[in-house]
Amino acid sequence: MLAVCWHYDVSARELDAIAGMGKIMKIEDIGEQGLLTILQRFCPQEIVGDDAAVIATQADRSLVITTDMLVDGVHFSDRTTGPYYAGWRAAAANLSDLAAMGATPLAVTVALGVSGNTAVEWVEEFYRGMTACLQQYHAPIVGGDIVRSPAVTAAITAFGEVAENRTIRRSNARSNWAIVATGVHGASRAGLELLLHPEFGQNLAGVDRTSLIISHQHPTPRLDVLPVLWEILDAENREISIAGMDSSDGLADAIVQICRASKVGARIERLRIPVPRAIEQIVSTQTALNWALYGGEDFELVLCLPSDLAEKLIHILGNGSAIVGKMTDCSDILLVDSTGTYADEELKISKGFQHF
Amino acid sequence: MLAVCWHYDVSARELDAIAGMGKIMKIEDIGEQGLLTILQRFCPQEIVGDDAAVIATQADRSLVITTDMLVDGVHFSDRTTGPYYAGWRAAAANLSDLAAMGATPLAVTVALGVSGNTAVEWVEEFYRGMTACLQQYHAPIVGGDIVRSPAVTAAITAFGEVAENRTIRRSNARSNWAIVATGVHGASRAGLELLLHPEFGQNLAGVDRTSLIISHQHPTPRLDVLPVLWEILDAENREISIAGMDSSDGLADAIVQICRASKVGARIERLRIPVPRAIEQIVSTQTALNWALYGGEDFELVLCLPSDLAEKLIHILGNGSAIVGKMTDCSDILLVDSTGTYADEELKISKGFQHF
């Protein structure tokens, strides 16, 4: 099978992982990135690689499409998230992908796999959670499919539309632009920890505990950021293509992905990363920073734009939004400490969830 | 849980199926139709109920969206369909839903669930099959998701567009219109039988055997019918909203669904149902008719339109296309025999695949 491996264009490390000649290559041998590399060959290169696909349907407007699959025991679990919140989170994750592209939601479809043994109430609560989230953004469920499956599985596809010149892409960032996080990070990871270990963080005030848990179970897609952004651009009469993505795979992942796609570097200021104060009451500053950078599922937007516009944006947004650093023309993506306590550190692609 | 049952609005029969008070209702208790009834409450009523959802995005054009989930062991199996053909069939089924709405394909997204133990070659062949089908209709895979799942699961969402006045809907049929099947029926069911039982149909000529198997493994979505249909309407300068759906769940199912949605009845002429001659060499005429009516997965279109236009359509299409009957203003949906050998028979909703 070695010829096939070369054909697949997997890395030397992945090739090393394949023990012997003639072995049937499994997905666990090549990992998620190896599989992605293979599957992207079947897609037009100009289209994939953002949070969602963009298809020009009219002269000045595009259709934006994103799809997510969620599997019971992998993406949600009754242990931490009942069906209502699993549904809410599934909808929120898809709408967050649309927000990351600058798109206004139109509708979603939901394909659902369940076994005969699945409780009807579970399914109904899942749909109730989804629609509660979707209704806030006037995005109806317009269709779907129901099939038998050994594990409860939901595949959600969300559609939105965006004006061609307002499309937010990972590849739009430029050197010297500011990097904005639209809100605090690490809260979802902390909330998950509190749900998994009820004995943990007993010293937290009730309101702080609830707030962290809500961050995990009931995230808000940041579609509200878009009109603010357009208003700032319109007021300045500036035609700028903003760069960005959402932080569903972590703040660090978002920054690294934008840098790679835009072929720029970044300097992130350690002290500027917005971490909820409650987290530092339950874990060390270093762990809190790790959760903020790599925890994921905060569903904020990470936007890159000229500094003066970024200042205006966080002034209006408030609520933990911050300029966390700036793009550079180097290739390094560095976490720096202006107080000099910590040495510079290379930001990595997500240390978070890996599927295989 | 009885209050919940009432709230769910399931039928009396389904209520009877729930053994005792206080039992947690499972999906197997209410069946696929019961579950659909519940889930449709979460969707806008004016949008769902056709082969695909239609969203008006421009003044005169609509976006058409359809989604399917396929699970290994439920919808495909290496026993009858290798991964290449499973991928082809999955793409063809979605494109067939677009054709059933009169829509031209734009693109698809694919969410894929696999385990670490899945062979990479299986996944690659599945994608190869999908793209082979999609490329014929210039519909690229524009995005997707890859997740871990205990059973190989693919969720495909296809997008197309249609001029507002060309949208084919189940509810457009009128009394006295002709019912057209765009090709032969029963071939896919016969091909499946040959694949499952290689000892079966030994008397068939090789070419006939291959043709039936190809019908099952390599179906063609009837997107080619649309330009023919529009040309006929244009030539006649007739503004007519055609009714129709695809026959993926069987010819009988398609006719019944159109009748219900359009609130008309139908008389189907037994001898006019186009069945490939090869099938009658391997099973009785009655079984062949059953396969044609209830076998499913032939992916033809079932269209209802004025008789003069229907005649023109089948004249151009040829290849087994036929006028199988006509709509009536009664409520009965009858299979009739003009030779008088068989008594009239009520056509039923699919006897085919039920998920739960």
Side-chain angles (χ1 to χ4, degrees):
Chain A
M1 297 289 285
L2 204 61
V4 177
C5 300
W6 286 113
H7 173 65
Y8 286 154
D9 199 23
V10 293
S11 72
R13 188 190 63 73
E14 287 155 354
L15 274 180
D16 286 346
I18 300 161
M21 303 277 288
K23 182 187 169 195
I24 290 177
M25 194 159 54
K26 301 286 179 70
I27 286 169
E28 62 198 7
D29 299 324
I30 62 168
E32 189 168 355
Q33 284 303 316
L35 185 58
L36 268 174
T37 304
I38 292 172
L39 298 189
Q40 280 175 357
R41 298 182 166 212
F42 294 98
C43 311
Q45 290 314 306
E46 71 280 10
I47 284 186
V48 292
D50 260 303
D51 291 76
V54 181
I55 302 176
T57 48
Q58 302 174 50
D60 57 348
R61 294 193 75 75
S62 296
L63 178 65
V64 178
I65 309 163
T66 178
T67 194
D68 270 334
M69 186 178 272
L70 300 118
V71 181
D72 186 18
V74 181
H75 303 90
F76 53 86
S77 152
D78 280 343
R79 205 172 140 211
T80 55
T81 310
Y84 178 92
Y85 289 117
W88 176 286
R89 280 165 53 86
N94 273 274
L95 295 183
S96 180
D97 281 333
L98 293 183
M101 304 296 294
T104 307
L106 286 171
V108 305
T109 60
V110 182
L112 186 72
V114 286
S115 76
N117 200 35
T118 306
V120 172
E121 200 181 350
W122 193 100
V123 177
E124 201 183 25
E125 280 299 297
F126 184 82
Y127 268 72
R128 215 187 287 281
M130 271 194 302
T131 44
C133 180
L134 293 170
Q135 275 166 4
Q136 299 206 357
Y137 307 98
H138 313 292
I141 299 174
V142 292
D145 194 16
I146 304 173
V147 302
R148 181 160 58 84
S149 167
V152 175
T153 304
I156 303 181
T157 305
F159 321 95
E161 55 175 5
V162 65
E164 181 52 36
N165 60 349
R166 290 275 153 94
T167 311
I168 299 174
R169 292 179 189 274
R170 297 182 189 179
S171 57
N172 286 344
R174 298 195 193 171
S175 174
N176 274 320
W177 279 11
I179 305 167
V180 168
T182 58
V184 294
H185 280 77
S188 176
R189 179 68 183 77
L192 176 63
E193 203 69 21
L194 293 171
L195 286 163
L196 285 172
H197 309 289
E199 73 289 358
F200 179 70
Q202 291 290 348
N203 57 325
L204 268 184
V207 61
D208 288 336
R209 170 178 284 271
T210 306
S211 155
L212 293 175
I213 288 176
I214 285 177
S215 296
H216 181 74
Q217 287 186 327
H218 210 254
T220 304
R222 296 306 305 270
L223 286 157
D224 61 299
V225 171
L226 302 181
V228 177
L229 203 51
W230 308 151
E231 209 170 290
I232 291 172
L233 288 178
D234 285 344
E236 299 268 330
N237 204 13
R238 303 255 285 270
E239 271 300 331
I240 291 167
S241 296
I242 306 291
M245 66 178 280
D246 80 348
S247 63
S248 54
D249 290 330
L251 177 58
D253 181 83
I255 293 167
V256 173
Q257 300 282 8
I258 294 168
C259 285
R260 285 185 183 173
S262 299
K263 300 188 171 59
V264 291
R267 287 176 70 84
I268 308 300
E269 177 57 60
R270 187 181 280 260
L271 290 176
R272 287 211 184 163
I273 293 172
V275 181
R277 261 171 308 166
I279 298 185
E280 299 197 359
Q281 294 175 40
I282 50 175
V283 291
S284 70
T285 307
Q286 187 55 44
T287 300
L289 184 73
N290 268 335
W291 284 1
L293 286 171
Y294 300 107
E297 304 205 326
D298 288 303
F299 297 111
E300 293 292 337
L301 299 183
V302 179
L303 300 169
C304 301
L305 63 172
S307 316
D308 59 326
L309 302 181
E311 295 282 1
K312 288 197 170 73
L313 179 62
I314 64 163
H315 178 74
I316 301 175
L317 291 182
N319 280 322
S321 65
I323 295 176
V324 297
K326 64 172 192 167
M327 293 304 184
T328 66
D329 52 12
C330 313
S331 62
D332 298 329
I333 306 168
L334 295 176
L335 183 66
V336 303
D337 177 15
S338 56
T339 68
T341 313
Y342 297 93
D344 291 356
E345 200 177 292
E346 185 80 15
L347 270 197
K348 292 174 193 67
I349 200 92
S350 178
K351 290 177 182 168
F353 193 74
Q354 287 295 321
H355 281 104
F356 303 103
Chain B
M1 298 292 285
L2 203 62
V4 176
C5 300
W6 285 113
H7 173 64
Y8 286 155
D9 199 24
V10 292
S11 71
R13 188 191 61 75
E14 286 154 356
L15 274 179
D16 286 346
I18 300 161
M21 302 278 287
K23 183 188 167 196
I24 290 176
M25 194 159 55
K26 300 288 179 69
I27 286 168
E28 63 198 6
D29 297 325
I30 62 169
E32 189 168 356
Q33 284 304 315
L35 184 58
L36 269 174
T37 304
I38 292 172
L39 299 189
Q40 280 175 356
R41 299 182 163 212
F42 294 98
C43 311
Q45 290 314 306
E46 70 280 9
I47 284 187
V48 292
D50 259 303
D51 291 75
V54 181
I55 301 176
T57 48
Q58 302 173 51
D60 57 348
R61 293 194 77 73
S62 296
L63 178 66
V64 178
I65 308 163
T66 177
T67 193
D68 270 334
M69 186 178 272
L70 300 119
V71 181
D72 186 20
V74 180
H75 302 91
F76 53 87
S77 152
D78 280 343
R79 204 172 142 211
T80 55
T81 310
Y84 178 91
Y85 289 117
W88 176 286
R89 279 165 54 86
N94 273 273
L95 295 183
S96 179
D97 280 333
L98 293 183
M101 304 296 294
T104 307
L106 286 170
V108 305
T109 60
V110 182
L112 186 72
V114 286
S115 75
N117 199 36
T118 306
V120 171
E121 201 181 349
W122 194 99
V123 177
E124 202 183 26
E125 280 299 296
F126 184 82
Y127 268 72
R128 216 187 287 281
M130 270 195 303
T131 44
C133 180
L134 293 169
Q135 275 165 5
Q136 299 207 356
Y137 306 98
H138 314 291
I141 299 176
V142 293
D145 194 16
I146 304 173
V147 302
R148 181 160 58 84
S149 167
V152 175
T153 304
I156 303 182
T157 305
F159 324 97
E161 55 176 4
V162 64
E164 182 51 37
N165 60 349
R166 291 274 153 96
T167 311
I168 299 173
R169 294 179 188 273
R170 297 182 190 180
S171 57
N172 287 344
R174 300 194 193 171
S175 174
N176 274 319
W177 280 11
I179 304 168
V180 169
T182 58
V184 294
H185 280 78
S188 176
R189 179 67 184 76
L192 175 64
E193 204 68 22
L194 293 171
L195 286 163
L196 285 172
H197 309 289
E199 74 288 358
F200 180 70
Q202 291 290 349
N203 57 325
L204 268 184
V207 62
D208 288 335
R209 169 179 284 270
T210 306
S211 155
L212 293 175
I213 288 177
I214 285 178
S215 297
H216 180 74
Q217 288 185 327
H218 211 254
T220 303
R222 296 305 306 269
L223 286 157
D224 62 299
V225 171
L226 302 181
V228 176
L229 203 51
W230 309 151
E231 210 171 289
I232 292 171
L233 288 179
D234 285 343
E236 299 268 330
N237 203 15
R238 302 255 285 270
E239 272 300 330
I240 291 167
S241 296
I242 306 291
M245 66 178 280
D246 79 348
S247 63
S248 54
D249 290 330
L251 177 58
D253 181 84
I255 294 167
V256 173
Q257 301 282 7
I258 294 169
C259 284
R260 284 185 183 173
S262 300
K263 300 187 171 59
V264 292
R267 287 176 69 86
I268 308 301
E269 176 59 59
R270 186 180 281 259
L271 289 176
R272 288 211 183 162
I273 293 172
V275 181
R277 261 170 309 164
I279 299 185
E280 300 197 358
Q281 294 175 39
I282 51 176
V283 291
S284 70
T285 306
Q286 186 57 42
T287 301
L289 184 73
N290 268 334
W291 284 1
L293 287 171
Y294 300 107
E297 303 205 326
D298 288 303
F299 297 111
E300 293 293 337
L301 298 184
V302 179
L303 300 170
C304 301
L305 63 174
S307 315
D308 59 325
L309 302 181
E311 295 282 2
K312 289 196 168 72
L313 180 62
I314 65 164
H315 178 74
I316 301 175
L317 291 182
N319 280 322
S321 65
I323 295 176
V324 297
K326 65 171 192 167
M327 293 302 184
T328 65
D329 52 10
C330 315
S331 61
D332 298 330
I333 307 168
L334 296 175
L335 183 67
V336 303
D337 177 15
S338 57
T339 68
T341 313
Y342 298 93
D344 292 356
E345 200 178 292
E346 185 79 16
L347 269 197
K348 292 175 194 66
I349 200 91
S350 178
K351 289 177 182 168
F353 194 73
Q354 286 294 322
H355 280 104
F356 304 104

